[in-house]
Amino acid sequence: MARPRTWILALLAVTVIVGGGALAVTSGVFAGDYEWTTVTVVDDDTDAELATVDARIADTFDKRYTGLSNTSSLGPNEGMLFIHNSEGRRGYVMRDMAFPIDIVFIDADGEITTIHHAEPDDNQTFRGTAKYVLEVPYNYTTDNDIAVGDRVEIPDEYRS
């Protein structure tokens, strides 16, 4: 028969593991095995910096498919950068999303081609031409005066 102290330690360990995982998922900081980078959005006319985003990198099929589905929210300057092998016509959906986002389509040269303000209950596909897609908090683009034609500076290690 196990001693009461052993049961208490086991219960405490399970509580810490489960509780810590729940905290990570509900706080919007659950990142899995994603790399992170910082991208900068620059005004097309003035070259002024409009915003910087700390973004998880989704550069494999599985990571692009999952996207932000396992995330309950994004921080104020947090996002996800989807990287495709080539530029093309893309379609993004709000699969298992619990919060709204802006979806920013970016061509191979870093120019923003399309911006969508997407609600989780929108049962549609958001389309644009892109090699990169940046998902950021809802109305982030509006709040930071980001528009089609502006540029997203992506670090060289993620450009090909």
Side-chain angles (χ1 to χ4, degrees):
M1 182 170 203
R3 294 168 38 205
R5 189 169 140 202
T6 304
W7 281 103
I8 291 171
L9 289 174
L11 181 59
L12 180 61
V14 168
T15 302
V16 168
I17 291 168
V18 172
L23 175 63
V25 171
T26 58
S27 67
V29 298
F30 182 77
D33 292 328
Y34 291 92
E35 291 181 34
W36 288 77
T37 193
T38 301
V39 298
T40 304
V41 185
V42 177
D43 184 271
D44 180 49
D45 295 324
T46 65
D47 289 331
E49 182 179 304
L50 299 172
T52 57
V53 177
D54 293 322
R56 293 175 231 179
I57 300 296
D59 57 354
T60 66
F61 175 81
D62 288 340
K63 288 178 182 177
R64 287 190 298 264
Y65 184 84
T66 301
L68 293 171
S69 296
N70 293 332
T71 306
S72 62
S73 66
L74 289 172
N77 293 307
E78 184 182 352
M80 181 171 274
L81 180 66
F82 297 80
I83 301 173
H84 296 275
N85 293 331
S86 61
E87 184 175 303
R89 194 82 176 129
R90 308 276 175 220
Y92 275 63
V93 296
M94 301 281 291
R95 184 179 301 108
D96 298 323
M97 291 286 297
F99 58 97
I101 57 174
D102 284 359
I103 304 173
V104 181
F105 290 81
I106 306 160
D107 72 13
D109 294 325
E111 184 177 327
I112 297 174
T113 62
T114 307
I115 297 172
H116 292 284
H117 304 285
E119 297 278 350
D121 57 352
D122 285 341
N123 195 15
Q124 65 175 308
T125 301
F126 299 93
R127 299 189 186 283
T129 299
K131 175 174 169 99
Y132 310 97
V133 175
L134 181 64
E135 293 183 346
V136 291
Y138 191 70
N139 280 332
Y140 186 83
T141 56
T142 303
D143 295 344
N144 290 284
D145 296 321
I146 298 168
V148 170
D150 290 337
R151 294 184 323 277
V152 179
E153 295 177 348
I154 298 167
D156 289 341
E157 62 263 31
Y158 299 107
R159 299 181 67 84
S160 55

